[in-house]
Amino acid sequence: VCSSDLGLGRMGVPMALNLVNAGHQVTVYNRSADKTVALTEAGASAVTRPADLGAGAEVVFTMISNDAALEDVTSGPDGVLATMAAGSILVDMSTVTPACSARVAEAATKCSVAYIRAPVSGSVVFAVAKTLTILASGPTQAYETCKPLFELMGGKIFHVGQDEQARYLKLTLNMMVGITAGMAAEALAFSERGGVEWDVLLEVVANSAVASPLIGYKRAPMAARDWTPAFPANQMAKDFDMALDTARDLCTPLPITALVRQYWSTMMATGRGNNDFFGCLELLEEQAGIKPKSS
Amino acid sequence: VCSSDLGLGRMGVPMALNLVNAGHQVTVYNRSADKTVALTEAGASAVTRPADLGAGAEVVFTMISNDAALEDVTSGPDGVLATMAAGSILVDMSTVTPACSARVAEAATKCSVAYIRAPVSGSVVFAVAKTLTILASGPTQAYETCKPLFELMGGKIFHVGQDEQARYLKLTLNMMVGITAGMAAEALAFSERGGVEWDVLLEVVANSAVASPLIGYKRAPMAARDWTPAFPANQMAKDFDMALDTARDLCTPLPITALVRQYWSTMMATGRGNNDFFGCLELLEEQAGIKPKSS
Amino acid sequence: VCSSDLGLGRMGVPMALNLVNAGHQVTVYNRSADKTVALTEAGASAVTRPADLGAGAEVVFTMISNDAALEDVTSGPDGVLATMAAGSILVDMSTVTPACSARVAEAATKCSVAYIRAPVSGSVVFAVAKTLTILASGPTQAYETCKPLFELMGGKIFHVGQDEQARYLKLTLNMMVGITAGMAAEALAFSERGGVEWDVLLEVVANSAVASPLIGYKRAPMAARDWTPAFPANQMAKDFDMALDTARDLCTPLPITALVRQYWSTMMATGRGNNDFFGCLELLEEQAGIKPKSS
Amino acid sequence: VCSSDLGLGRMGVPMALNLVNAGHQVTVYNRSADKTVALTEAGASAVTRPADLGAGAEVVFTMISNDAALEDVTSGPDGVLATMAAGSILVDMSTVTPACSARVAEAATKCSVAYIRAPVSGSVVFAVAKTLTILASGPTQAYETCKPLFELMGGKIFHVGQDEQARYLKLTLNMMVGITAGMAAEALAFSERGGVEWDVLLEVVANSAVASPLIGYKRAPMAARDWTPAFPANQMAKDFDMALDTARDLCTPLPITALVRQYWSTMMATGRGNNDFFGCLELLEEQAGIKPKSS
């Protein structure tokens, strides 16, 4: 399969590299050309405009940072849809709102391009290890075509519907991931104030009924009080905003999400926006009068 | 070891039975005598007053329903501490507040009785299967004496401190368990409103970074929309109240806990207090205008 | 009318003094005898046990600090009900829970004493100025007897029901008073962050549709950033706890109350428990990254 | 003064009429021409494109419904700034975000047009009665020019800063107005559940320290349970969204606003989006298990 990759940030590069390394013919584009070096060294071709990716590609992958950027590189004046062949497939793996995705879907349909939404769950480590979770929705036939490519990038792949379902699911997981941090923050601060030793506390929680994989990943950084971001609070703020904006459209109340969203604001307001989102623990400790521990 | 068991509800009976079946000499008491039948048939002796349990027992276990009951059966006029020998051990496995537990500790100390707080995490199924999590705090020597007995009842046993630490930890876990339900409720209702099929939704969440064991246990009942209580909302309300009351004493804010606590009130106010606490999903569905599905 | 007054704190003294100054024969009791000096100098008699107040009094007023104290001085072993004559009236003007008040009601009924719940709204300044709001519930005839006495203490007097209605109403007003502070805190911090000058901000709010009398009273202290307590945060915490505990009994959700309650905990945890409850403004400013202004 | 008015909805028409009736030469524009009839009958001229309003106007007033519409009619291709003379004044009286307003400010500056932000507080009744509150910010000289015109429309006029201050203040008031409804809802439902009669409850609250003018306006509709909108929940949702979006930009937490925002979603999701926002009382009653009263 001849594919093209567009958007080569921290996630996009390892994902594209997995395709290149599997022997696929890959053409890449990124706004900052220096991001493509690792890929061209591995055998990919690089182009200088999104539109240059479209012609000849069977599948075009996009992995970009927000709604506006996705619309720009797909249906914008210089976007890739302009040059994609009828019958080819556009696969967007970004985290964007269902509303934005639906507009891209409409643009793709006009160009007779099949459109697969395939947001991923998991951080850079997972992208490198090919263990991302990929939530895909869109037409079954196009999904089946892409599946072997997805298998080069992810460990768990779900086909979850014919339309925007993958978008809603991605936001659902993000909400739960973020709320887990807020929940842990208050629950842990509570036991700290009660005199439980920090390591004992983490040990018990990590062996409990609420010990999700996420709690497992965060145990060591919490133990070390190391807030180097696997995912920074200011990014989590953006993900929460997508969920909350979508919930406005759906008239669906999200009381806990709305509450925890405020923590990301406070982290940003107090110089901690680039800390990992689990660093919201510090906020609840401060509000409980606990002296911050050194990291 | 000769032990005595006091408080034989849904949890207490299988826990005591595990001791009896292991060959220990066990004397039992329960307010309602019919609860002791299964135990006496298995070889336990039964008495008719808490105080009758104390004499001769090396270890007395209590497993009762709330603060007032624990104080009643331990340090009350007819309580077991009155007859326990100096050097014997009182092990309370109930979920009570640290404040109540500290009063019991004081009473035990006056009687030269060692006191182990050993609240358990896990439901009846776990009690039967001897896979409860036991969080114990209290003097190390007494803990070591009890450990072989704990191993007959639980799968994971932690010694978490010398004082009330186990109480705080138990409430911490309960908070997280309850909040997980509230979090799932709004996150799932969101995707439902977005058009994701219920089974797909549960499949994805159950395979995600937030898929705690708890989410795993609840997947089948959620799929079936079966709110038969593993743990009813009105009991969760009581557990949350213990956490919130303790947080008042600690001057520790628990914003999410306080918010989710309101869901248990609404469940009770709308005839769902005996439903499993994961049934709060229905509240969020209703608030999102989703027609309740049949169970 | 010959009356007796019990509980002479910051509120009780000026209230009793208004009765004495109007020419009523008043006997007083307070746990700390020094609190009664101002009253005996004005012409009141003082006794040394609550029970000594009961005999001969047509009306006994109580104004104490919490549930336990009210039960102690009324239905406790040395309580005033023991000596009150059948047909006399017990008027409790404290802020207590409906549950406690109902127990006092039961005890009063057993003694054939009529019982009026008459909690007051307003601070010490209002007590002195005889402008308290008095919310009374209880039997109409007893209320009518007390009304002339209430008119010596308050400016607005309502008869709101035959039972515990006054208790619920008092807690309702307290909730709204406390939430107003939390609401002002976030709304004002928002405009501060937006660059609105503090005095302009207060001027506009004080002239808006939300400018309640309370907002009016608090304008000057907010302008001066003077958190000298008219009502301290740790007292507001107790009032909120009464409301929240009562809401548990009623299975009634109080989401905003529950959230704002956490602010009082943080104020206490961070050394501000004795500040006026409107001082929660500082919390929201800190969470918004606003440098605290000097008071 | 020769002025032009643009945007003639429920608020805009009476506001413009007050200018016409005071003898000012007024030219008007509205997307739907039928809205201008009452004004042309009173002596105003009407035009058919926003740009036609600009030439010759000393002051142009805009009163439109949202951010996008404001940018469209001011700085859009056919917007009024294109034809306004250098030195003339653009006065926007709409409720829009500071972010949008700042973009309009930039466009006005490029055209050497002075820009006054002058959002109003108060509903249609106030607009008719010339008792609106007008919060104005922008250059002092332009403000002074407009002040006599503002005095024809409003009863309280504040000059609150040189830039976007009026925008922040308007959102601040809206937040407090909306939260007041949420606060009243839970506080009133609480007393209802406690057995207080509805009329008594409203009487007491309307005479309390929290009895803001807003509570006064809403007393009669609440008594009648008449949710005919003075301001519908779905509009309040939009106002809250402007506040929350602006708070995201400011990194300022708004926990209560965020929570109450969810009520507007539920009102919309359950067929009550066009009810007055004080109708959120019904939600809290339902959540407390109170049977809805007939209106």
Side-chain angles (χ1 to χ4, degrees), chain D residues 33-239:
Chain D
D34 59 320
K35 295 287 177 59
T36 61
V37 173
L39 288 156
T40 49
E41 285 179 353
S45 323
V47 296
T48 56
R49 293 185 321 142
D52 294 340
L53 278 181
E58 292 167 70
V59 183
V60 172
F61 292 96
T62 52
M63 183 65 175
I64 47 71
S65 60
N66 60 45
D67 280 20
L70 178 60
E71 292 199 67
D72 192 40
V73 300
T74 55
S75 52
D78 196 37
V80 71
L81 279 169
T83 53
M84 286 177 73
S88 64
I89 305 173
L90 172 65
V91 180
D92 176 60
M93 305 189 79
S94 319
T95 297
V96 296
T97 61
C100 163
S101 186
R103 289 190 297 268
V104 172
E106 203 179 355
T109 300
K110 278 186 189 150
C111 303
S112 302
V113 167
Y115 174 49
I116 299 292
R117 302 79 172 160
V120 300
S121 195
S123 57
V124 176
V125 182
F126 292 75
V128 171
K130 312 181 193 178
T131 55
L132 291 167
T133 295
I134 300 175
L135 305 169
S137 61
T140 301
Q141 196 182 333
Y143 169 75
E144 293 297 340
T145 303
C146 297
K147 201 174 168 189
L149 300 171
F150 289 152
E151 285 167 348
L152 297 171
M153 295 186 272
K156 290 179 186 170
I157 298 145
F158 298 93
H159 187 214
V160 298
Q162 301 295 314
D163 302 301
E164 302 302 336
Q165 287 85 352
R167 303 300 187 186
Y168 291 102
L169 276 166
K170 178 60 165 72
L171 297 179
T172 291
L173 295 186
N174 284 10
M175 261 186 256
M176 295 180 84
V177 164
I179 292 173
T180 296
M183 163 175 87
E186 77 184 50
L188 297 178
F190 172 84
S191 261
E192 277 188 277
R193 283 286 275 125
V196 182
E197 288 198 17
W198 187 236
D199 288 340
V200 169
L201 181 42
L202 294 179
E203 166 86 1
V204 167
V205 170
N207 282 282
S208 75
V210 296
S212 59
L214 176 64
I215 291 284
Y217 308 146
K218 298 298 183 184
R219 182 178 170 181
M222 283 198 284
R225 303 190 74 81
D226 173 4
W227 311 126
T228 307
F231 196 69
N234 50 29
Q235 279 294 325
M236 188 56 89
K238 286 184 185 158
D239 279 11

Side-chain angles (χ1 to χ4, degrees), chain C residues 4-237:
Chain C
S4 296
D5 274 52
L6 197 161
L8 299 160
R10 292 181 349 129
M11 293 294 285
V13 168
M15 289 164 71
L17 208 51
N18 287 331
L19 295 177
V20 175
N21 290 343
H24 286 288
Q25 187 183 332
V26 179
T27 309
V28 298
Y29 165 81
N30 195 71
R31 214 169 32 177
S32 314
D34 58 320
K35 295 287 177 58
T36 61
V37 174
L39 288 156
T40 50
E41 285 179 352
S45 322
V47 296
T48 56
R49 293 187 320 142
D52 294 341
L53 278 181
E58 291 166 72
V59 183
V60 173
F61 292 96
T62 53
M63 182 66 174
I64 47 72
S65 59
N66 59 46
D67 279 19
L70 178 61
E71 292 198 68
D72 191 40
V73 301
T74 56
S75 52
D78 196 36
V80 71
L81 279 168
T83 53
M84 286 177 73
S88 64
I89 305 173
L90 171 65
V91 180
D92 175 60
M93 306 189 79
S94 319
T95 297
V96 296
T97 62
C100 163
S101 187
R103 290 190 296 270
V104 172
E106 202 179 356
T109 299
K110 278 186 189 150
C111 302
S112 303
V113 166
Y115 174 49
I116 300 292
R117 303 78 170 162
V120 300
S121 196
S123 57
V124 176
V125 182
F126 292 74
V128 172
K130 311 180 193 179
T131 54
L132 292 168
T133 294
I134 300 175
L135 305 168
S137 61
T140 302
Q141 194 182 334
Y143 168 76
E144 293 297 340
T145 304
C146 297
K147 202 175 168 190
L149 300 171
F150 290 152
E151 286 167 347
L152 296 170
M153 295 186 273
K156 291 179 187 170
I157 299 146
F158 299 92
H159 187 213
V160 298
Q162 301 295 312
D163 302 301
E164 303 301 337
Q165 288 85 352
R167 303 301 187 186
Y168 291 102
L169 276 166
K170 178 61 166 72
L171 296 179
T172 291
L173 295 186
N174 284 10
M175 261 185 255
M176 294 181 83
V177 164
I179 292 173
T180 296
M183 163 175 87
E186 77 184 49
L188 296 177
F190 172 85
S191 262
E192 278 187 273
R193 283 285 276 124
V196 182
E197 288 198 18
W198 187 236
D199 288 340
V200 169
L201 182 43
L202 294 178
E203 167 85 0
V204 167
V205 171
N207 282 281
S208 75
V210 295
S212 60
L214 176 63
I215 292 283
Y217 308 146
K218 297 298 182 185
R219 181 177 171 183
M222 282 198 284
R225 302 189 75 82
D226 173 5
W227 311 126
T228 306
F231 196 69
N234 51 28
Q235 280 294 325
M236 188 57 89

